[in-house]
Amino acid sequence: DGFGVGQAAAVAVASLPGCDLPSDVTETPTATAVVSPPVSVNGGVVAVPLTQPGLGHDIDEAMVARLARQSLRIPA
């Protein structure tokens, strides 16, 4: 996924106890990143953001809306 959401999910799963075969994680291209902080690799190590729950990344919803061809809202 070139937007960072898939990479963020792969990093989150790879950091779980018992995950012996993590998915390949690549850096998010900064021009299309919708996650903050972007997924980055330094010396073959991917940092796992532990400062917030979930994936540990904020999603730029305004950018996602600009890039979307269609949208669907599911009422709560």
CSV table of all heavy atoms in Angstrom, one decimal:
chain,number,residue,atom,x,y,z
A,1,ASP,N,0.9,-1.2,0.0
A,1,ASP,CA,0.0,0.0,0.0
A,1,ASP,C,0.9,1.2,0.0
A,1,ASP,O,1.7,1.4,0.9
A,1,ASP,CB,-0.9,-0.1,1.2
A,1,ASP,CG,-1.4,1.1,1.8
A,1,ASP,OD1,-1.3,2.2,1.3
A,1,ASP,OD2,-2.1,1.0,2.9
A,2,GLY,N,0.7,2.1,-1.0
A,2,GLY,CA,1.6,3.2,-1.1
A,2,GLY,C,1.2,4.4,-0.2
A,2,GLY,O,1.8,5.5,-0.3
A,3,PHE,N,0.2,4.3,0.6
A,3,PHE,CA,-0.3,5.4,1.5
A,3,PHE,C,0.2,5.2,2.9
A,3,PHE,O,0.0,6.2,3.7
A,3,PHE,CB,-1.8,5.5,1.4
A,3,PHE,CG,-2.3,5.8,0.0
A,3,PHE,CD1,-2.9,4.8,-0.8
A,3,PHE,CD2,-2.1,7.1,-0.5
A,3,PHE,CE1,-3.3,5.1,-2.0
A,3,PHE,CE2,-2.6,7.4,-1.8
A,3,PHE,CZ,-3.2,6.4,-2.6
A,4,GLY,N,0.7,4.1,3.3
A,4,GLY,CA,1.2,3.9,4.7
A,4,GLY,C,0.3,3.2,5.6
A,4,GLY,O,0.7,2.7,6.6
A,5,VAL,N,-1.0,3.1,5.3
A,5,VAL,CA,-2.0,2.4,6.2
A,5,VAL,C,-1.6,0.9,6.3
A,5,VAL,O,-1.6,0.3,7.3
A,5,VAL,CB,-3.4,2.6,5.7
A,5,VAL,CG1,-4.4,1.8,6.7
A,5,VAL,CG2,-3.8,4.1,5.7
A,6,GLY,N,-1.4,0.3,5.1
A,6,GLY,CA,-1.0,-1.2,5.1
A,6,GLY,C,0.3,-1.4,5.8
A,6,GLY,O,0.5,-2.4,6.6
A,7,GLN,N,1.3,-0.5,5.6
A,7,GLN,CA,2.6,-0.6,6.3
A,7,GLN,C,2.4,-0.5,7.8
A,7,GLN,O,3.0,-1.2,8.6
A,7,GLN,CB,3.6,0.4,5.8
A,7,GLN,CG,4.1,0.1,4.4
A,7,GLN,CD,3.3,0.9,3.4
A,7,GLN,OE1,2.2,1.3,3.5
A,7,GLN,NE2,4.0,1.2,2.3
A,8,ALA,N,1.6,0.5,8.2
A,8,ALA,CA,1.3,0.7,9.7
A,8,ALA,C,0.7,-0.6,10.3
A,8,ALA,O,1.1,-1.0,11.4
A,8,ALA,CB,0.4,1.9,9.9
A,9,ALA,N,-0.2,-1.2,9.6
A,9,ALA,CA,-0.9,-2.4,10.1
A,9,ALA,C,0.1,-3.6,10.2
A,9,ALA,O,0.2,-4.3,11.1
A,9,ALA,CB,-2.1,-2.8,9.2
A,10,ALA,N,1.0,-3.7,9.2
A,10,ALA,CA,2.0,-4.7,9.1
A,10,ALA,C,3.0,-4.6,10.3
A,10,ALA,O,3.4,-5.5,10.9
A,10,ALA,CB,2.8,-4.7,7.8
A,11,VAL,N,3.4,-3.3,10.6
A,11,VAL,CA,4.3,-3.1,11.7
A,11,VAL,C,3.6,-3.4,13.0
A,11,VAL,O,4.2,-4.0,13.9
A,11,VAL,CB,4.7,-1.6,11.7
A,11,VAL,CG1,5.5,-1.2,13.0
A,11,VAL,CG2,5.6,-1.3,10.6
A,12,ALA,N,2.3,-3.0,13.2
A,12,ALA,CA,1.6,-3.3,14.4
A,12,ALA,C,1.5,-4.8,14.6
A,12,ALA,O,1.7,-5.3,15.7
A,12,ALA,CB,0.2,-2.7,14.4
A,13,VAL,N,1.2,-5.6,13.6
A,13,VAL,CA,1.0,-7.0,13.7
A,13,VAL,C,2.4,-7.7,14.0
A,13,VAL,O,2.5,-8.5,14.9
A,13,VAL,CB,0.4,-7.7,12.5
A,13,VAL,CG1,0.5,-9.2,12.5
A,13,VAL,CG2,-1.0,-7.3,12.3
A,14,ALA,N,3.5,-7.2,13.3
A,14,ALA,CA,4.8,-7.7,13.5
A,14,ALA,C,5.3,-7.5,15.0
A,14,ALA,O,6.1,-8.3,15.5
A,14,ALA,CB,5.8,-7.1,12.5
A,15,SER,N,4.8,-6.5,15.6
A,15,SER,CA,5.2,-6.2,17.0
A,15,SER,C,4.5,-7.0,18.1
A,15,SER,O,4.9,-7.0,19.2
A,15,SER,CB,5.1,-4.7,17.3
A,15,SER,OG,3.7,-4.4,17.4
A,16,LEU,N,3.5,-7.8,17.7
A,16,LEU,CA,2.8,-8.6,18.7
A,16,LEU,C,3.6,-9.8,19.1
A,16,LEU,O,4.3,-10.4,18.3
A,16,LEU,CB,1.4,-9.0,18.1
A,16,LEU,CG,0.4,-7.9,17.7
A,16,LEU,CD1,-0.8,-8.5,17.0
A,16,LEU,CD2,0.0,-7.2,19.0
A,17,PRO,N,3.4,-10.2,20.4
A,17,PRO,CA,4.1,-11.4,20.9
A,17,PRO,C,3.6,-12.6,20.0
A,17,PRO,O,2.4,-12.7,19.7
A,17,PRO,CB,3.6,-11.5,22.3
A,17,PRO,CG,3.0,-10.2,22.7
A,17,PRO,CD,2.6,-9.5,21.4
A,18,GLY,N,4.5,-13.5,19.7
A,18,GLY,CA,4.1,-14.7,19.0
A,18,GLY,C,4.1,-14.5,17.5
A,18,GLY,O,3.9,-15.5,16.8
A,19,CYS,N,4.4,-13.3,17.0
A,19,CYS,CA,4.5,-13.1,15.5
A,19,CYS,C,5.9,-13.5,15.1
A,19,CYS,O,6.8,-12.7,15.2
A,19,CYS,CB,4.2,-11.7,15.1
A,19,CYS,SG,4.2,-11.4,13.3
A,20,ASP,N,6.0,-14.7,14.6
A,20,ASP,CA,7.3,-15.2,14.1
A,20,ASP,C,7.6,-15.0,12.7
A,20,ASP,O,8.8,-15.0,12.3
A,20,ASP,CB,7.3,-16.8,14.4
A,20,ASP,CG,7.2,-17.1,15.9
A,20,ASP,OD1,7.7,-16.3,16.7
A,20,ASP,OD2,6.7,-18.2,16.2
A,21,LEU,N,6.6,-14.8,11.9
A,21,LEU,CA,6.8,-14.5,10.4
A,21,LEU,C,6.1,-13.2,10.0
A,21,LEU,O,5.0,-13.3,9.4
A,21,LEU,CB,6.2,-15.7,9.6
A,21,LEU,CG,6.9,-17.1,9.9
A,21,LEU,CD1,6.1,-18.2,9.3
A,21,LEU,CD2,8.3,-17.1,9.5
A,22,PRO,N,6.7,-12.1,10.3
A,22,PRO,CA,6.0,-10.8,10.0
A,22,PRO,C,6.0,-10.6,8.5
A,22,PRO,O,6.9,-11.1,7.7
A,22,PRO,CB,6.9,-9.8,10.7
A,22,PRO,CG,8.2,-10.4,10.8
A,22,PRO,CD,8.0,-11.9,11.0
A,23,SER,N,5.1,-9.8,8.1
A,23,SER,CA,5.0,-9.4,6.7
A,23,SER,C,6.2,-8.5,6.3
A,23,SER,O,6.8,-7.8,7.2
A,23,SER,CB,3.7,-8.6,6.4
A,23,SER,OG,3.6,-8.1,5.1
A,24,ASP,N,6.5,-8.4,5.0
A,24,ASP,CA,7.5,-7.5,4.6
A,24,ASP,C,7.0,-6.0,4.8
A,24,ASP,O,5.9,-5.7,4.5
A,24,ASP,CB,7.8,-7.7,3.1
A,24,ASP,CG,8.9,-6.9,2.5
A,24,ASP,OD1,9.8,-6.5,3.3
A,24,ASP,OD2,8.8,-6.6,1.3
A,25,VAL,N,7.8,-5.2,5.3
A,25,VAL,CA,7.5,-3.8,5.6
A,25,VAL,C,8.4,-2.9,4.8
A,25,VAL,O,9.6,-3.0,5.0
A,25,VAL,CB,7.6,-3.5,7.1
A,25,VAL,CG1,7.2,-2.0,7.4
A,25,VAL,CG2,6.6,-4.4,7.9
A,26,THR,N,7.9,-2.0,4.0
A,26,THR,CA,8.7,-1.1,3.3
A,26,THR,C,8.3,0.3,3.8
A,26,THR,O,7.3,0.5,4.4
A,26,THR,CB,8.4,-1.2,1.8
A,26,THR,OG1,7.0,-0.9,1.6
A,26,THR,CG2,8.7,-2.5,1.2
A,27,GLU,N,9.2,1.3,3.5
A,27,GLU,CA,8.9,2.7,3.9
A,27,GLU,C,7.7,3.2,3.1
A,27,GLU,O,7.5,2.8,1.9
A,27,GLU,CB,10.1,3.5,3.6
A,27,GLU,CG,11.3,3.3,4.6
A,27,GLU,CD,12.3,4.4,4.5
A,27,GLU,OE1,12.6,4.8,3.3
A,27,GLU,OE2,12.9,4.7,5.5
A,28,THR,N,7.0,4.1,3.7
A,28,THR,CA,6.0,4.8,3.0
A,28,THR,C,6.5,5.9,2.1
A,28,THR,O,7.3,6.8,2.6
A,28,THR,CB,5.0,5.5,4.0
A,28,THR,OG1,4.6,4.5,4.9
A,28,THR,CG2,3.8,6.1,3.3
A,29,PRO,N,6.2,6.0,0.8
A,29,PRO,CA,6.7,7.1,0.0
A,29,PRO,C,6.1,8.4,0.6
A,29,PRO,O,4.9,8.5,0.8
A,29,PRO,CB,6.1,6.8,-1.4
A,29,PRO,CG,5.8,5.4,-1.4
A,29,PRO,CD,5.5,5.0,0.1
A,30,THR,N,6.9,9.4,0.9
A,30,THR,CA,6.4,10.6,1.7
A,30,THR,C,5.4,11.4,0.8
A,30,THR,O,4.6,12.1,1.4
A,30,THR,CB,7.6,11.5,2.1
A,30,THR,OG1,8.4,11.8,0.9
A,30,THR,CG2,8.5,10.8,3.1
A,31,ALA,N,5.5,11.3,-0.5
A,31,ALA,CA,4.6,12.1,-1.3
A,31,ALA,C,3.1,11.6,-1.2
A,31,ALA,O,2.2,12.4,-1.4
A,31,ALA,CB,5.0,12.1,-2.8
A,32,THR,N,2.9,10.4,-0.8
A,32,THR,CA,1.6,9.8,-0.8
A,32,THR,C,1.2,9.4,0.6
A,32,THR,O,0.1,8.8,0.8
A,32,THR,CB,1.4,8.6,-1.7
A,32,THR,OG1,2.4,7.6,-1.4
A,32,THR,CG2,1.6,9.0,-3.2
A,33,ALA,N,2.0,9.6,1.6
A,33,ALA,CA,1.8,9.1,3.0
A,33,ALA,C,0.5,9.8,3.6
A,33,ALA,O,0.4,11.0,3.5
A,33,ALA,CB,3.0,9.4,3.9
A,34,VAL,N,-0.4,9.0,4.1
A,34,VAL,CA,-1.5,9.6,4.8
A,34,VAL,C,-1.5,9.2,6.3
A,34,VAL,O,-2.4,9.5,7.0
A,34,VAL,CB,-2.9,9.1,4.2
A,34,VAL,CG1,-3.0,9.5,2.8
A,34,VAL,CG2,-3.0,7.6,4.3
A,35,VAL,N,-0.4,8.6,6.7
A,35,VAL,CA,-0.2,8.3,8.1
A,35,VAL,C,0.9,9.1,8.7
A,35,VAL,O,1.9,9.5,8.0
A,35,VAL,CB,0.2,6.8,8.3
A,35,VAL,CG1,-1.0,5.9,7.9
A,35,VAL,CG2,1.5,6.4,7.6
A,36,SER,N,0.8,9.5,10.0
A,36,SER,CA,1.8,10.2,10.7
A,36,SER,C,2.0,9.6,12.0
A,36,SER,O,1.1,9.4,12.7
A,36,SER,CB,1.3,11.7,10.9
A,36,SER,OG,2.3,12.4,11.6
A,37,PRO,N,3.2,9.3,12.4
A,37,PRO,CA,4.4,9.4,11.6
A,37,PRO,C,4.5,8.4,10.5
A,37,PRO,O,3.9,7.3,10.6
A,37,PRO,CB,5.5,9.1,12.6
A,37,PRO,CG,4.9,8.2,13.6
A,37,PRO,CD,3.5,8.6,13.7
A,38,PRO,N,5.2,8.7,9.4
A,38,PRO,CA,5.3,7.7,8.3
A,38,PRO,C,6.1,6.5,8.7
A,38,PRO,O,7.0,6.6,9.6
A,38,PRO,CB,6.0,8.5,7.2
A,38,PRO,CG,6.6,9.7,7.8
A,38,PRO,CD,5.8,10.0,9.1
A,39,VAL,N,5.8,5.4,8.2
A,39,VAL,CA,6.6,4.2,8.4
A,39,VAL,C,8.0,4.4,7.8
A,39,VAL,O,8.1,4.7,6.6
A,39,VAL,CB,5.9,2.9,7.9
A,39,VAL,CG1,6.8,1.7,8.0
A,39,VAL,CG2,4.6,2.7,8.5
A,40,SER,N,9.0,4.2,8.6
A,40,SER,CA,10.4,4.4,8.1
A,40,SER,C,11.3,3.3,8.6
A,40,SER,O,11.0,2.7,9.6
A,40,SER,CB,10.9,5.8,8.5
A,40,SER,OG,11.0,5.9,9.9
A,41,VAL,N,12.3,3.1,7.8
A,41,VAL,CA,13.3,2.0,8.1
A,41,VAL,C,14.6,2.7,8.3
A,41,VAL,O,15.0,3.5,7.6
A,41,VAL,CB,13.4,1.0,7.0
A,41,VAL,CG1,14.4,-0.1,7.3
A,41,VAL,CG2,12.0,0.4,6.7
A,42,ASN,N,15.3,2.3,9.4
A,42,ASN,CA,16.6,2.9,9.7
A,42,ASN,C,17.6,1.7,10.1
A,42,ASN,O,17.4,1.1,11.1
A,42,ASN,CB,16.5,3.9,10.9
A,42,ASN,CG,17.8,4.6,11.1
A,42,ASN,OD1,18.8,4.4,10.3
A,42,ASN,ND2,17.9,5.4,12.1
A,43,GLY,N,18.5,1.4,9.2
A,43,GLY,CA,19.4,0.3,9.4
A,43,GLY,C,18.8,-1.0,9.5
A,43,GLY,O,19.2,-1.9,10.2
A,44,GLY,N,17.7,-1.2,8.7
A,44,GLY,CA,17.0,-2.5,8.7
A,44,GLY,C,16.0,-2.7,9.8
A,44,GLY,O,15.4,-3.7,10.0
A,45,VAL,N,15.8,-1.6,10.7
A,45,VAL,CA,14.9,-1.7,11.8
A,45,VAL,C,13.7,-0.7,11.6
A,45,VAL,O,13.9,0.4,11.2
A,45,VAL,CB,15.6,-1.3,13.1
A,45,VAL,CG1,14.7,-1.3,14.3
A,45,VAL,CG2,16.8,-2.3,13.4
A,46,VAL,N,12.5,-1.2,11.8
A,46,VAL,CA,11.3,-0.4,11.7
A,46,VAL,C,10.9,0.0,13.1
A,46,VAL,O,10.7,-0.9,13.9
A,46,VAL,CB,10.2,-1.1,10.9
A,46,VAL,CG1,9.0,-0.3,10.8
A,46,VAL,CG2,10.7,-1.6,9.6
A,47,ALA,N,10.7,1.3,13.3
A,47,ALA,CA,10.3,1.8,14.6
A,47,ALA,C,8.8,1.5,14.8
A,47,ALA,O,8.0,1.6,13.9
A,47,ALA,CB,10.5,3.3,14.7
A,48,VAL,N,8.4,1.1,16.0
A,48,VAL,CA,7.0,0.8,16.3
A,48,VAL,C,6.5,1.9,17.2
A,48,VAL,O,7.0,2.1,18.3
A,48,VAL,CB,6.9,-0.6,17.1
A,48,VAL,CG1,5.4,-0.8,17.4
A,48,VAL,CG2,7.4,-1.7,16.2
A,49,PRO,N,5.6,2.8,16.7
A,49,PRO,CA,5.1,3.8,17.6
A,49,PRO,C,4.2,3.3,18.7
A,49,PRO,O,3.3,2.6,18.5
A,49,PRO,CB,4.3,4.7,16.6
A,49,PRO,CG,4.0,3.8,15.4
A,49,PRO,CD,5.0,2.8,15.4
A,50,LEU,N,4.6,3.6,19.9
A,50,LEU,CA,3.9,3.1,21.1
A,50,LEU,C,3.2,4.2,21.9
A,50,LEU,O,2.8,4.0,23.0
A,50,LEU,CB,4.9,2.3,22.0
A,50,LEU,CG,5.6,1.2,21.3
A,50,LEU,CD1,6.7,0.6,22.3
A,50,LEU,CD2,4.6,0.1,20.9
A,51,THR,N,3.0,5.4,21.3
A,51,THR,CA,2.5,6.5,22.0
A,51,THR,C,1.0,6.6,22.0
A,51,THR,O,0.4,7.4,22.7
A,51,THR,CB,3.0,7.8,21.5
A,51,THR,OG1,2.7,7.9,20.1
A,51,THR,CG2,4.6,7.9,21.7
A,52,GLN,N,0.3,5.8,21.2
A,52,GLN,CA,-1.2,5.8,21.1
A,52,GLN,C,-1.7,4.4,20.7
A,52,GLN,O,-0.9,3.6,20.2
A,52,GLN,CB,-1.6,6.9,20.1
A,52,GLN,CG,-1.2,6.7,18.7
A,52,GLN,CD,-1.5,7.9,17.8
A,52,GLN,OE1,-1.5,9.0,18.3
A,52,GLN,NE2,-1.9,7.7,16.6
A,53,PRO,N,-2.9,4.2,21.0
A,53,PRO,CA,-3.5,2.8,20.8
A,53,PRO,C,-3.7,2.6,19.3
A,53,PRO,O,-3.6,3.5,18.4
A,53,PRO,CB,-4.8,2.9,21.5
A,53,PRO,CG,-5.2,4.3,21.6
A,53,PRO,CD,-3.9,5.1,21.7
A,54,GLY,N,-4.1,1.4,19.0
A,54,GLY,CA,-4.4,1.0,17.6
A,54,GLY,C,-3.1,0.8,16.8
A,54,GLY,O,-2.1,0.3,17.3
A,55,LEU,N,-3.1,1.4,15.6
A,55,LEU,CA,-1.9,1.2,14.7
A,55,LEU,C,-0.7,2.1,15.2
A,55,LEU,O,0.4,1.9,14.8
A,55,LEU,CB,-2.2,1.6,13.3
A,55,LEU,CG,-3.3,0.7,12.6
A,55,LEU,CD1,-3.5,1.2,11.1
A,55,LEU,CD2,-2.8,-0.7,12.6
A,56,GLY,N,-1.0,3.1,16.0
A,56,GLY,CA,0.0,4.0,16.5
A,56,GLY,C,0.3,5.1,15.6
A,56,GLY,O,1.3,5.9,15.7
A,57,HIS,N,-0.5,5.3,14.6
A,57,HIS,CA,-0.4,6.4,13.6
A,57,HIS,C,-1.7,7.2,13.5
A,57,HIS,O,-2.8,6.6,13.6
A,57,HIS,CB,0.0,5.8,12.2
A,57,HIS,CG,1.2,5.0,12.2
A,57,HIS,ND1,2.4,5.6,11.8
A,57,HIS,CD2,1.5,3.7,12.5
A,57,HIS,CE1,3.4,4.7,11.8
A,57,HIS,NE2,2.8,3.5,12.2
A,58,ASP,N,-1.5,8.4,13.2
A,58,ASP,CA,-2.7,9.3,12.9
A,58,ASP,C,-2.9,9.2,11.4
A,58,ASP,O,-2.0,9.1,10.6
A,58,ASP,CB,-2.5,10.7,13.3
A,58,ASP,CG,-2.5,10.9,14.8
A,58,ASP,OD1,-3.3,10.3,15.5
A,58,ASP,OD2,-1.6,11.7,15.2
A,59,ILE,N,-4.2,9.2,10.9
A,59,ILE,CA,-4.6,9.1,9.5
A,59,ILE,C,-5.0,10.5,9.1
A,59,ILE,O,-5.8,11.2,9.8
A,59,ILE,CB,-5.7,8.2,9.3
A,59,ILE,CG1,-5.4,6.8,9.8
A,59,ILE,CG2,-6.1,8.1,7.8
A,59,ILE,CD1,-4.3,6.0,9.1
A,60,ASP,N,-4.4,11.0,8.0
A,60,ASP,CA,-4.8,12.3,7.5
A,60,ASP,C,-6.1,12.2,6.7
A,60,ASP,O,-6.0,11.9,5.5
A,60,ASP,CB,-3.6,12.9,6.6
A,60,ASP,CG,-3.9,14.3,6.0
A,60,ASP,OD1,-5.1,14.8,6.1
A,60,ASP,OD2,-2.9,14.9,5.5
A,61,GLU,N,-7.2,12.3,7.4
A,61,GLU,CA,-8.5,12.0,6.8
A,61,GLU,C,-8.8,13.0,5.6
A,61,GLU,O,-9.5,12.6,4.7
A,61,GLU,CB,-9.6,12.0,7.8
A,61,GLU,CG,-9.4,10.9,8.8
A,61,GLU,CD,-10.5,10.9,9.9
A,61,GLU,OE1,-11.7,11.3,9.5
A,61,GLU,OE2,-10.2,10.5,11.0
A,62,ALA,N,-8.3,14.2,5.7
A,62,ALA,CA,-8.6,15.2,4.7
A,62,ALA,C,-7.9,14.8,3.4
A,62,ALA,O,-8.4,14.9,2.3
A,62,ALA,CB,-8.1,16.6,5.1
A,63,MET,N,-6.6,14.3,3.5
A,63,MET,CA,-5.9,13.8,2.3
A,63,MET,C,-6.6,12.6,1.7
A,63,MET,O,-6.7,12.5,0.5
A,63,MET,CB,-4.5,13.5,2.6
A,63,MET,CG,-3.7,13.0,1.4
A,63,MET,SD,-2.0,12.6,1.7
A,63,MET,CE,-1.3,14.2,1.5
A,64,VAL,N,-7.1,11.7,2.6
A,64,VAL,CA,-7.8,10.5,2.1
A,64,VAL,C,-9.0,10.9,1.3
A,64,VAL,O,-9.3,10.4,0.2
A,64,VAL,CB,-8.2,9.6,3.3
A,64,VAL,CG1,-9.1,8.4,2.8
A,64,VAL,CG2,-6.9,9.0,3.9
A,65,ALA,N,-9.8,11.9,1.8
A,65,ALA,CA,-11.0,12.4,1.2
A,65,ALA,C,-10.6,13.0,-0.2
A,65,ALA,O,-11.3,12.8,-1.2
A,65,ALA,CB,-11.7,13.4,2.0
A,66,ARG,N,-9.5,13.8,-0.3
A,66,ARG,CA,-9.1,14.4,-1.5
A,66,ARG,C,-8.7,13.3,-2.6
A,66,ARG,O,-8.9,13.5,-3.8
A,66,ARG,CB,-7.9,15.3,-1.3
A,66,ARG,CG,-8.3,16.6,-0.7
A,66,ARG,CD,-7.2,17.7,-0.8
A,66,ARG,NE,-5.9,17.2,-0.3
A,66,ARG,CZ,-5.5,17.3,1.0
A,66,ARG,NH1,-6.3,17.8,1.9
A,66,ARG,NH2,-4.3,16.8,1.4
A,67,LEU,N,-8.1,12.2,-2.1
A,67,LEU,CA,-7.6,11.2,-3.0
A,67,LEU,C,-8.7,10.2,-3.4
A,67,LEU,O,-8.5,9.4,-4.4
A,67,LEU,CB,-6.4,10.4,-2.4
A,67,LEU,CG,-5.2,11.2,-2.1
A,67,LEU,CD1,-4.2,10.4,-1.3
A,67,LEU,CD2,-4.6,11.6,-3.4
A,68,ALA,N,-9.8,10.1,-2.6
A,68,ALA,CA,-10.8,9.1,-2.9
A,68,ALA,C,-11.6,9.4,-4.1
A,68,ALA,O,-11.9,10.6,-4.4
A,68,ALA,CB,-11.7,9.0,-1.6
A,69,ARG,N,-12.0,8.4,-4.8
A,69,ARG,CA,-12.9,8.5,-6.0
A,69,ARG,C,-14.3,8.4,-5.5
A,69,ARG,O,-15.2,9.0,-6.1
A,69,ARG,CB,-12.6,7.4,-7.0
A,69,ARG,CG,-11.3,7.6,-7.6
A,69,ARG,CD,-11.1,6.5,-8.7
A,69,ARG,NE,-9.7,6.6,-9.2
A,69,ARG,CZ,-9.3,5.9,-10.2
A,69,ARG,NH1,-10.0,5.0,-10.7
A,69,ARG,NH2,-8.0,6.0,-10.6
A,70,GLN,N,-14.6,7.6,-4.5
A,70,GLN,CA,-15.9,7.5,-3.9
A,70,GLN,C,-15.7,7.4,-2.4
A,70,GLN,O,-14.7,7.0,-1.9
A,70,GLN,CB,-16.6,6.2,-4.4
A,70,GLN,CG,-16.9,6.2,-5.9
A,70,GLN,CD,-17.7,4.9,-6.3
A,70,GLN,OE1,-17.4,3.9,-5.7
A,70,GLN,NE2,-18.5,5.0,-7.2
A,71,SER,N,-16.8,7.7,-1.7
A,71,SER,CA,-16.8,7.5,-0.3
A,71,SER,C,-18.1,6.9,0.2
A,71,SER,O,-19.1,7.1,-0.5
A,71,SER,CB,-16.5,8.8,0.5
A,71,SER,OG,-17.6,9.7,0.2
A,72,LEU,N,-18.1,6.3,1.3
A,72,LEU,CA,-19.3,5.7,1.9
A,72,LEU,C,-19.2,5.9,3.4
A,72,LEU,O,-18.2,5.5,4.0
A,72,LEU,CB,-19.3,4.2,1.6
A,72,LEU,CG,-20.4,3.3,2.2
A,72,LEU,CD1,-21.8,3.8,1.7
A,72,LEU,CD2,-20.2,1.9,2.0
A,73,ARG,N,-20.3,6.4,3.9
A,73,ARG,CA,-20.4,6.6,5.4
A,73,ARG,C,-21.4,5.6,5.9
A,73,ARG,O,-22.5,5.5,5.4
A,73,ARG,CB,-20.8,8.0,5.8
A,73,ARG,CG,-19.8,9.0,5.5
A,73,ARG,CD,-19.5,9.8,6.7
A,73,ARG,NE,-18.5,10.8,6.5
A,73,ARG,CZ,-17.3,10.8,7.1
A,73,ARG,NH1,-17.1,9.9,8.0
A,73,ARG,NH2,-16.4,11.7,6.8
A,74,ILE,N,-21.0,4.8,6.9
A,74,ILE,CA,-21.9,3.9,7.5
A,74,ILE,C,-22.4,4.5,8.8
A,74,ILE,O,-21.5,4.8,9.7
A,74,ILE,CB,-21.2,2.5,7.8
A,74,ILE,CG1,-20.7,2.0,6.5
A,74,ILE,CG2,-22.1,1.6,8.5
A,74,ILE,CD1,-19.8,0.7,6.6
A,75,PRO,N,-23.7,4.7,9.0
A,75,PRO,CA,-24.2,5.3,10.2
A,75,PRO,C,-23.9,4.5,11.4
A,75,PRO,O,-23.9,3.2,11.4
A,75,PRO,CB,-25.7,5.5,10.0
A,75,PRO,CG,-26.0,4.9,8.7
A,75,PRO,CD,-24.7,4.4,8.1
A,76,ALA,N,-23.6,5.1,12.5
A,76,ALA,CA,-23.3,4.4,13.8
A,76,ALA,C,-24.6,3.8,14.4
A,76,ALA,O,-25.7,4.2,14.2
A,76,ALA,CB,-22.6,5.3,14.8
